[in-house]
Amino acid sequence: MPVRLAVFTGLFLTAPLFAQTAKLSEQLKPGEHFRYDLSLKLDGTMKLDRDGKVQSLPMTGEAGIKFVERVESPDAAGGAGKVVRHYTEAKAANNAGGELRRVELSADRRLTVALRTEAETLHVCPNGPFTRDELDLVGDHFDTLALPLLLPNKELKAGETWAVSDSGCQHALLFDGLVKNKLTGTLASVKDGVATFTIGGTAEGVEMAAGVKVSVTATGTFDVATGRLTGLVWEQADEREAGPVSPATEVKVKWTIKREAVADEPKELSAEARAKVPADKVPAEMTRLRHAAAKYTLTYPREWMTVGVTPEHVVLRLMAGGEPVAQATASVWKKAEAGGHSTAAEFKELIARVPGWEASEAIADGEVKADGKWVYRWSGKGKQDGNPVVQTFYLIAAPSGEQVTVVFLSSPEKAAKLADREKDVLDGVSFPEKTCCLFPSPPGERGTDHDVAPPAAVPAGRPRGGVRTSRHLPAEGLHRVLECRPRASHRRRPVQRGRPAAGATRSVERAAPEASRQPVDPAVDAAAVRPARVAAVPRRPVDLAVRATVAGVRVG
């Protein structure tokens, strides 16, 4: 009898342990504050197609992200629909192919707003447009707004499972479109008021018109008393196909996320600090991106993805519906006298010398009205390296004499889709009142036409970021890239996009090659307005280090 009683008593005392339950659900309230600490480790390979041969480059990355957050408004599911953040730390480092690059969020872009809807997660800064690097740092780390979406929103017993929602899966993996979701959560245990859960499984989606297969293993902790998720270790393995703007990659990623509620309002998020935060509709100017060069500044809509940068060039690619439509190349050109500009005849002569360009029909030729600057346009049909294209060349001159060329290139079939999008880019070109020489001329070369390193100085055949001119590029035509289509299965979009349609690029910017000064000649001048061709090379390390699914490329 004593033995039976002891056994019965033991069962009675231990039974509640196995019957413990927890309700894994968050219902956020306006005015709540949280502190986040995120860290990333990444290891993998990038596969590049070079002259028909696949070359694998090892890559590693790490990132540290810290911010405080104020919930402005919850969404219908109880999560955060709109939050204001202040980043105390946002930096990343990446090593791809043996080249290291570090990126850090600038001080005047640390106050941000994140808005999550069924269609997108939008990140903006009240102080002005982000650069692509800055947007990647704040927008492409693990989407903490998705944390409540990973939970079952119901009470479970230890050992019970739930299917992670399509919305939670897509937002956590930052897919543009979700094809398949087989993520499953399990309540592992409930002890001392802390519920431990796991998430595992596979998912398939589309990002930047490239197919992605992901396997996930994650462990999280949930404070039962406060009803708040407090931590998450998220590991995933990605297999990514090559896309129009991204190389094929195989990577393993580990995000470690710490989250704590903050009782008192942080001074960084005081009412005074939030004065510039838009109450309702976000102004269009906040959603643009910024490229700041020594001679000019360019702001442009996020649907134009940055795919190449050197001190002399920035190369943008327009994506619509997950497909590449056109490319734009902005380049610094020789300076004219103050109050003047190059003549139309000089510009057209330069266009005629563009390597590989054969014009067959002029579409537009003349000056374009613009406030505060002189703009000349020549547009025509023809062949670039034997491929049918439509090209539009713009020469933009400031009152100071600084000049910039912008070249748009598209296939004839897609030229109509540019419509007013050219104007959106051109309107974003501005010149500082005072400019300085980016690459001062060596002794004995003062007075030459260029005061920046010409594109011809970029070394050929190196796996670095930046733009190579025609004499350094492989023979295949750019229009083959512009004609690239995602597989039919990738056009499925059963749930909302996890990324803004206009700002889906995950940038991992590569340091531009060092450029040495070279004498100016007509061929170099012509190359300056040539629409830079791009090849699949690593993009900016922010993506490799900040992006949970390495997606983009800086091409060069």
Side-chain angles (χ1 to χ4, degrees):
M1 182 67 177
V3 174
R4 291 182 179 179
L5 179 61
V7 172
F8 176 78
T9 302
L11 292 174
F12 179 79
L13 292 175
T14 58
L17 176 63
F18 296 98
Q20 282 185 325
T21 64
K23 184 177 182 180
L24 302 183
S25 176
E26 285 200 1
Q27 297 295 322
L28 301 180
K29 300 177 182 179
E32 283 193 273
H33 297 87
F34 295 91
R35 188 179 307 278
Y36 288 87
D37 186 339
L38 290 75
S39 63
L40 169 70
K41 296 291 184 182
L42 179 148
D43 183 73
T45 59
M46 179 180 297
K47 299 179 180 180
L48 308 179
D49 187 348
R50 299 193 176 229
D51 299 324
K53 296 181 180 180
V54 177
Q55 179 183 357
S56 295
L57 293 178
M59 60 184 185
T60 58
E62 60 183 17
I65 308 291
K66 297 180 181 180
F67 59 89
V68 287
E69 175 182 279
R70 172 188 170 90
V71 178
E72 291 292 295
S73 60
D75 61 12
K82 177 182 178 181
V83 299
V84 181
R85 294 171 175 167
H86 182 275
Y87 286 81
T88 55
E89 179 181 312
K91 58 185 179 181
N94 165 262
N95 191 318
E99 296 187 29
L100 177 66
R101 187 174 189 275
R102 301 181 184 276
V103 181
E104 187 170 359
L105 186 64
S106 57
D108 61 348
R109 294 295 185 269
R110 294 183 179 267
L111 181 68
T112 73
V113 181
L115 303 96
R116 190 180 66 78
T117 67
E118 289 190 356
E120 62 181 25
T121 300
L122 180 66
H123 299 265
V124 298
C125 176
N127 292 327
F130 287 122
T131 64
R132 177 62 70 180
D133 280 340
E134 292 167 342
L135 178 61
D136 290 339
L137 279 170
V138 303
D140 286 339
H141 59 65
F142 190 94
D143 188 357
T144 55
L145 296 184
L147 292 177
L149 303 178
L150 299 174
L151 303 176
N153 290 321
K154 62 181 180 181
E155 191 163 334
L156 298 175
K157 296 179 181 179
E160 289 188 319
T161 64
W162 74 92
V164 175
S165 69
D166 286 346
S167 177
C169 173
Q170 184 168 342
H171 277 276
L173 297 177
L174 298 178
F175 284 159
D176 295 331
L178 182 64
V179 175
K180 186 182 297 183
N181 170 24
K182 292 187 177 180
L183 296 186
T184 301
T186 303
L187 178 58
S189 65
V190 182
K191 183 178 180 181
D192 298 331
V194 177
T196 301
F197 64 90
T198 63
I199 294 176
T202 61
E204 297 180 24
V206 183
E207 188 176 12
M208 309 287 290
V212 188
K213 294 182 179 179
V214 180
S215 61
V216 175
T217 302
T219 302
T221 53
F222 185 89
D223 189 305
V224 178
T226 61
R228 295 291 179 262
L229 193 153
T230 57
L232 182 68
V233 177
W234 182 279
E235 298 182 66
Q236 66 184 66
D238 291 10
E239 292 183 12
R240 180 178 304 276
E241 298 176 351
V245 292
S246 60
T249 57
E250 292 184 6
V251 296
K252 292 184 178 180
V253 176
K254 180 178 180 180
W255 279 106
T256 302
I257 303 168
K258 299 177 182 178
R259 182 190 192 217
E260 63 174 324
V262 179
D264 299 326
E265 180 179 78
K267 62 179 181 180
E268 299 93 339
L269 298 177
S270 64
E272 182 179 358
R274 304 192 316 270
K276 292 183 179 180
V277 173
D280 298 311
K281 187 177 180 180
V282 176
E285 185 61 27
M286 285 189 188
T287 66
R288 295 174 71 90
L289 293 177
R290 182 183 86 258
H291 169 72
K295 302 295 184 181
Y296 71 99
T297 297
L298 173 66
T299 66
Y300 54 94
R302 295 184 186 183
E303 62 183 350
W304 287 93
M305 298 163 36
T306 310
V307 294
V309 169
T310 70
E312 307 84 43
H313 295 81
V314 59
V315 183
L316 309 176
R317 183 166 295 165
L318 175 63
M319 300 291 291
E323 299 179 355
V325 173
Q327 183 167 292
T329 304
S331 308
V332 175
W333 200 38
K334 63 181 182 180
K335 184 177 181 179
E337 293 183 0
H341 52 75
S342 297
T343 66
E346 289 175 326
F347 187 52
K348 287 192 284 186
E349 181 182 355
L350 183 63
I351 293 171
R353 296 199 307 266
V354 168
W357 168 239
E358 299 177 17
S360 59
E361 178 186 348
I363 300 174
D365 184 359
E367 294 185 20
V368 178
K369 291 183 178 180
D371 294 334
K373 51 195 174 188
W374 179 84
V375 179
Y376 190 89
R377 174 182 61 185
W378 187 93
S379 179
K381 297 180 180 179
K383 290 185 177 182
Q384 182 67 56
D385 298 324
N387 300 304
V389 297
V390 175
Q391 295 199 75
T392 302
F393 299 81
Y394 289 90
L395 176 59
I396 306 171
S400 64
E402 300 292 350
Q403 298 188 114
V404 171
T405 65
V406 181
V407 184
F408 294 90
L409 179 149
S410 66
S411 63
E413 296 78 14
K414 295 181 177 180
K417 293 186 179 181
L418 280 174
D420 294 332
R421 286 163 165 160
E422 286 185 7
K423 186 176 185 300
D424 286 340
V425 175
L426 297 172
D427 287 346
V429 176
S430 61
F431 298 88
E433 293 183 3
K434 294 183 179 180
T435 57
C436 61
C437 183
L438 182 61
F439 292 102
S441 303
E445 288 191 16
R446 300 293 179 186
T448 54
D449 287 338
H450 278 273
D451 52 5
V452 297
V458 181
R462 303 181 64 182
R464 311 187 66 156
V467 180
R468 288 177 290 174
T469 61
S470 60
R471 56 182 69 98
H472 301 127
L473 292 170
E476 73 270 20
L478 171 65
H479 96 296
R480 282 171 46 186
V481 178
L482 296 175
E483 289 300 321
C484 184
R485 295 285 197 282
R487 293 189 292 113
S489 61
H490 293 163
R491 295 193 185 103
R492 273 180 70 189
R493 189 171 161 273
V495 293
Q496 76 272 18
R497 296 168 59 88
R499 304 273 320 143
T505 291
R506 282 44 146 186
S507 157
V508 175
E509 182 172 15
R510 312 276 308 155
E514 294 182 2
S516 60
R517 179 84 177 185
Q518 293 186 3
V520 176
D521 59 48
V524 171
D525 270 350
V529 297
R530 186 193 193 283
R533 297 251 308 283
V534 292
V537 301
R539 252 180 67 198
R540 301 171 295 184
V542 183
D543 236 24
L544 303 180
V546 173
R547 193 69 181 83
T549 53
V550 179
V553 301
R554 272 256 164 150
V555 288

